[in-house]
Amino acid sequence: MNIRPMTYEDLGQAADIEKICFRESWSVRILKESMESFWNLFLVIQEGEKLIGYGTACVIAGEGEIQRIAILPEFRQKGLGRELLAALVKTAKERGARSVTLEVRESNLPARRLYISAGFQEEGRRKDYYRNPKEDAIIMWDRELS
């Protein structure tokens, strides 16, 4: 497994991962536009020539925000999400983040457990933030980057 920056050549595979992992997936166009933003960073996990996951974050004014972490279902429960999260946080820190936040569906217990084990704490809620189905977002922070 290899974690590396995402390239434009990865966009099609990343969009395919989106469709599998998210109810409201990002298109190739949205991924490309996001990649072109100065503030955003994208990393992929690759096995051979195949992408098996990717993640994105942004860093603005000393704050990082994890926007997406997606691992194909057949590669979950192998520590890859943890590795990708750690790589995103490390890269955000290198870009000046002093803290990192994220939002997660209330019902996504595996992701919430991962984030808590990585040092994030639940600090708030956005009522009915998600659609399809309507659900609260749990806001989590890792405020102790060192």
Side-chain angles (χ1 to χ4, degrees):
M1 306 292 172
N2 179 35
I3 297 178
R4 61 168 175 77
M6 183 186 280
T7 66
Y8 290 113
E9 290 76 26
D10 299 322
L11 288 171
Q13 288 187 70
D16 291 342
I17 292 169
E18 276 279 326
K19 290 175 194 167
I20 293 167
C21 294
F22 296 109
R23 293 178 183 130
E24 296 178 23
S25 59
W26 291 0
S27 65
V28 169
R29 181 184 59 78
I30 291 170
L31 287 164
K32 183 177 184 290
E33 288 173 1
S34 294
M35 274 182 64
E36 292 171 347
S37 169
F38 171 79
W39 310 110
N40 293 340
L41 60 105
F42 282 75
L43 300 175
V44 297
I45 297 181
Q46 183 175 358
E47 182 180 62
E49 297 300 312
K50 179 180 180 175
L51 293 190
I52 59 173
Y54 91 96
T56 182
C58 70
V59 178
I60 299 175
E63 286 187 1
E65 179 185 1
I66 305 295
Q67 297 172 323
R68 295 288 230 213
I69 292 181
I71 304 292
L72 289 172
E74 62 269 27
F75 292 94
R76 293 179 186 162
Q77 302 298 312
K78 299 177 185 213
L80 299 175
R82 179 177 310 285
E83 288 182 40
L84 187 54
L85 176 62
L88 286 167
V89 169
K90 178 180 183 279
T91 305
K93 180 181 170 186
E94 291 168 355
R95 289 193 179 188
R98 294 179 302 278
S99 61
V100 176
T101 187
L102 57 85
E103 295 160 347
V104 61
R105 277 185 180 271
E106 182 177 29
S107 65
N108 192 345
L109 297 178
R112 289 171 65 188
R113 283 192 292 270
L114 167 65
Y115 300 141
I116 289 169
S117 73
F120 285 80
Q121 296 180 353
E122 295 184 9
E123 294 193 15
R125 172 181 300 263
R126 287 200 170 94
K127 185 82 175 137
D128 297 333
Y129 179 78
Y130 291 104
R131 299 172 291 167
N132 191 20
K134 188 180 282 189
E135 189 171 359
D136 292 357
I138 304 299
I139 302 166
M140 303 182 81
W141 281 89
D142 181 353
R143 297 186 185 272
E144 299 189 22
L145 297 182
S146 53

